[in-house]
Amino acid sequence: MGLTTSGIIFLALAWSIIITLTVFSFYKVFKGEKKK
Amino acid sequence: MAQNGEREQWGTKIGLILAVAGNAVGLGNFLRFPVQAAQNGGGAFMIPYFIFFILLGIPLMWIEWGIGRHGGTFKHGSTPGMFDVLWKNKLAKYFGALGLFISITILIYYTYIESWTLGFSLFSILGMYSHETKETMTTFLSSYQGSTTSQTFTSILPAYILMIITFFINFWVLYRGISRGIEKLAKIAMPMLFIFGVILAIRIVTLGTPDPTHPENSVLNGFAFIWNPDFSALGNPNIWLAAAGQIFFTLSVGMGTIHAYASYLKKNDDIVLSGLATSSTNEFVEVILGGSIAIPVAVAFFGLEATKEIAAGGSFNLGFVSMPIIFGSDAFPMGEIFGFMWFLLLFFAGITSSVAMGQPVVAFLEDEFGMDRKKAVGTLAIGVLIAVQFVVFFLKYGFLDEMDYWAGTFGLVVFALIETILFMWVFGADKAWKEMNNGGDIKIPFFFYYIMKYVTPVILMILMIWWFVQSALPTLMLHNVSPVNVPYIWGARVLMVIIAFILIWMVKKAWDNNHSEVK
């Protein structure tokens, strides 16, 4: 079977979207807390 | 705890985010998601999954935070009072009672399931299962649950004791209050869950091929099972509904719990960024950690075909039968420790959700009946302790499954539809939009206005009708139910009706009292 190229693309895309969203939101949260 | 009648408040913003994320992250993130993805088109499942995350998950998250904070400014920490504020109609508070019904009903059986994870973490570290087969592990689980007997468990007593311990921890956290109990728990349990999840994922990814004589049984093929896309599946409406359902369940919306947590915010506290951070944390745990543990390791140990069978057998089969077999095998070095971490991770995921389910009723008793926290938590504890007896002793007759279907599946979508209509249509989309954006550290992109007003309620309506036809009607008509189980299924229904009537009566009583006080 093996992980196909399209499988790798979907995994990488999904992980990238989620990691970006998580890092963005927590960066904003901590930045906001620091300001206060 | 609050003093002089003042409502409690969250200590820190990060504490609140972790608490709401803890509410969302549950057993389903680790057990339900990978099974759903693998069974519904693999990588292609992520297309509808992300679409519904934007059209259903995030909007509902913001709607619930918005309703909760708005209700909190009127000193209401539960949905009867919150709905009454949104809609000046006698019926509004009774619609809100559904939020209490769902959270308390799920709490009743969830605490028991949560206690299994605590038990299995102890059994792991004590080495109570090793070299198990599917048959012996199934017997281990069923004898622990009291459905059968085995050499290890001759009665239900160990399960009962662990249930009481779990029950005590939950209610102790609730008694401690918002910042000293729930927030403190989230600040300990969520980082621990992350650490254990990352350690387990790294260990499993580096397992490779445990049995060199079967090179096809590898972790890589496990990832392939979840991620290789089957684009033909996208033409099947069932796949889209499965994705919508998964998004709905994973974020723990439609339960009245997020509202309760958000009610302890100030009027100008941010909810937009907090809602987004909560959702993204849940997705991180589900897709990245959840997708890298149970299914990949199952394929590596049992092979693809056997894993498909395991997945078809449901989440409990995967979590409590297959995973212990893997951790107890010689091919998994230090399996006792990793098994301990796996079940403790599930326990942390469970307890941060179950305390959230207790909070709406506690807030209801405090805010609408003027009880102090000790009395409110005590009242809830007595009620749950009585009801959980039926779940413990009638488990094998489908008692838990019946409660889970009506409260934990169908009830959620009904409640989410009601709250969306109330907030976006009755209260008014413009007022709701202003309310959600008020004090926001970021602004909600404007296209979400139309999504929340039109798209989210339509999707919820389709989901509700689909589930009604596909599963609610057959469940109601007792299709495929063994005749032995029928009286117990009716027993579960009677119990739920009693709970619903008690809550409706209490809502009426609270409003009668408050109304006469105003006079």
Side-chain angles (χ1 to χ4, degrees):
Chain A
M1 192 185 182
L3 201 57
T4 60
T5 310
S6 49
I8 294 169
I9 291 170
F10 269 94
L11 185 149
L13 258 178
W15 282 35
S16 306
I17 292 169
I18 289 163
I19 290 170
T20 308
L21 198 62
T22 312
V23 170
F24 166 79
S25 9
F26 278 93
Y27 169 73
K28 285 275 187 186
V29 168
F30 284 117
K31 204 178 148 192
E33 290 286 280
K34 219 176 174 184
K35 264 186 189 171
K36 278 174 194 169
Chain B
M1 263 173 253
Q3 302 293 324
N4 307 322
E6 283 296 305
R7 295 190 86 235
E8 292 177 74
Q9 282 182 355
W10 295 98
T12 59
K13 186 172 181 173
I14 194 72
L16 164 67
I17 290 170
L18 289 177
V20 186
N23 165 49
V25 173
L27 272 57
N29 290 58
F30 294 93
L31 299 174
R32 194 176 190 274
F33 166 75
V35 171
Q36 286 289 310
Q39 286 178 341
N40 293 295
F45 180 75
M46 298 314 289
I47 295 172
Y49 183 85
F50 277 120
I51 290 173
F52 285 117
F53 181 62
I54 291 165
L55 300 181
L56 189 68
I58 294 265
L60 276 171
M61 206 34 124
W62 280 327
I63 285 170
E64 295 199 348
W65 278 80
I67 294 173
R69 188 185 59 178
H70 182 71
T73 58
F74 292 89
K75 297 193 186 300
H76 292 299
S78 56
T79 47
M82 291 171 187
F83 284 10
D84 194 47
V85 171
L86 292 180
W87 184 28
K88 293 291 173 204
N89 186 296
K90 280 180 180 175
L91 288 175
K93 55 186 177 291
Y94 298 113
F95 281 119
L98 186 59
L100 296 177
F101 169 78
I102 290 172
S103 55
I104 196 173
T105 306
I106 300 176
L107 176 67
I108 289 164
Y109 62 78
Y110 199 87
T111 319
Y112 186 43
I113 298 169
E114 192 183 307
S115 72
W116 303 348
T117 63
L118 183 65
F120 272 61
S121 67
L122 295 174
F123 306 151
S124 296
I125 204 76
L126 295 173
M128 282 175 68
Y129 55 77
S130 63
H131 305 100
E132 304 290 345
T133 62
K134 191 185 167 196
E135 287 70 31
T136 59
M137 201 60 219
T138 305
T139 308
F140 185 96
L141 177 64
S142 62
S143 62
Y144 171 70
Q145 293 168 339
S147 303
T148 53
T149 53
S150 69
Q151 281 185 327
T152 321
F153 300 112
T154 51
S155 79
I156 202 170
L157 193 65
Y160 198 86
I161 292 168
L162 283 159
M163 188 270 290
I164 294 292
I165 293 169
T166 309
F167 185 88
F168 178 78
I169 298 170
N170 269 281
F171 284 92
W172 183 73
V173 170
L174 276 169
Y175 165 69
R176 298 266 299 168
I178 294 293
S179 64
R180 289 199 312 144
I182 295 170
E183 185 173 341
K184 218 170 213 175
L185 170 76
K187 281 181 168 172
I188 297 166
M190 289 305 284
M192 293 295 283
L193 182 148
F194 273 107
I195 294 166
F196 286 175
V198 170
I199 293 172
L200 278 162
I202 291 172
R203 175 71 274 243
I204 285 161
V205 168
T206 51
L207 265 178
T209 309
D211 182 0
T213 58
H214 290 283
E216 72 282 7
N217 295 354
S218 67
V219 172
L220 198 64
N221 277 347
F223 276 94
F225 182 42
I226 300 177
W227 291 102
N228 282 354
D230 171 14
F231 292 108
S232 66
L234 293 177
N236 182 352
N238 279 326
I239 306 295
W240 289 78
L241 286 158
Q246 179 59 28
I247 281 294
F248 193 78
F249 289 129
T250 187
L251 292 171
S252 294
V253 286
M255 290 169 63
T257 50
I258 294 170
H259 316 69
Y261 278 3
S263 75
Y264 295 94
L265 286 167
K266 291 182 205 138
K267 190 174 172 49
N268 293 319
D269 280 345
D270 158 80
I271 58 170
V272 182
L273 182 60
S274 301
L276 187 68
T278 302
S279 309
S280 56
T281 306
N282 179 71
E283 291 312 303
F284 186 93
V285 173
E286 173 152 298
V287 178
I288 297 178
L289 299 180
S292 304
I293 300 175
I295 289 286
V297 80
V299 173
F301 274 81
F302 305 118
L304 193 61
E305 289 312 311
T307 302
K308 281 180 185 170
E309 267 177 46
I310 291 164
S315 301
F316 286 161
N317 197 18
L318 177 65
F320 293 96
V321 176
S322 305
M323 293 299 279
I325 296 172
I326 293 166
F327 291 126
S329 111
D330 287 337
F332 205 112
M334 294 196 291
E336 297 93 341
I337 294 166
F338 287 105
F340 172 72
M341 285 164 83
W342 164 250
F343 284 110
L344 206 56
L345 169 152
L346 293 183
F347 179 71
F348 287 143
I351 194 169
T352 46
S353 302
S354 57
V355 292
M357 291 168 207
Q359 181 56 34
V361 174
V362 171
F364 173 71
L365 295 173
E366 282 184 309
D367 299 333
E368 316 303 347
F369 283 91
M371 286 187 191
D372 61 20
R373 196 155 184 102
K374 191 176 176 182
K375 203 172 170 190
V377 172
T379 307
L380 175 68
I382 291 167
V384 173
L385 190 61
I386 293 168
V388 80
Q389 307 304 319
F390 299 102
V391 176
V392 173
F393 292 104
F394 300 151
L395 180 79
K396 67 176 171 180
Y397 301 109
F399 203 93
L400 187 156
D401 296 334
E402 187 68 10
M403 290 174 84
D404 181 46
Y405 182 75
W406 293 111
T409 307
F410 195 69
L412 302 182
V413 73
V414 174
F415 185 72
L417 180 62
I418 292 171
E419 68 180 1
T420 307
I421 292 171
L422 274 185
F423 198 44
M424 297 307 292
W425 287 87
V426 178
F427 182 64
D430 291 342
K431 276 165 77 182
W433 184 256
K434 205 174 155 195
E435 173 62 43
M436 285 182 284
N437 277 293
N438 184 36
D441 288 346
I442 53 170
K443 290 283 165 206
I444 305 176
F446 194 68
F447 65 87
F448 273 105
Y449 175 92
Y450 297 103
I451 290 176
M452 288 180 195
K453 190 172 179 184
Y454 300 105
V455 183
T456 307
V458 169
I459 295 171
L460 286 169
M461 216 171 281
I462 293 169
L463 259 183
M464 194 181 74
I465 294 167
W466 184 268
W467 285 350
F468 183 76
V469 174
Q470 198 192 38
S471 57
L473 267 180
T475 306
L476 189 68
M477 304 307 288
L478 300 167
H479 283 187
N480 300 322
V481 172
S482 149
V484 180
N485 290 2
V486 171
Y488 299 95
I489 302 283
W490 278 108
R493 290 176 184 180
V494 169
L495 178 66
M496 285 188 281
V497 169
I498 291 170
I499 293 168
F501 270 112
I502 290 172
L503 290 170
I504 289 168
W505 176 78
M506 287 177 82
V507 169
K508 187 179 181 309
K509 182 101 179 142
W511 260 255
D512 285 349
N513 289 347
N514 294 341
H515 188 69
S516 60
E517 273 170 25
V518 171
K519 272 182 181 173

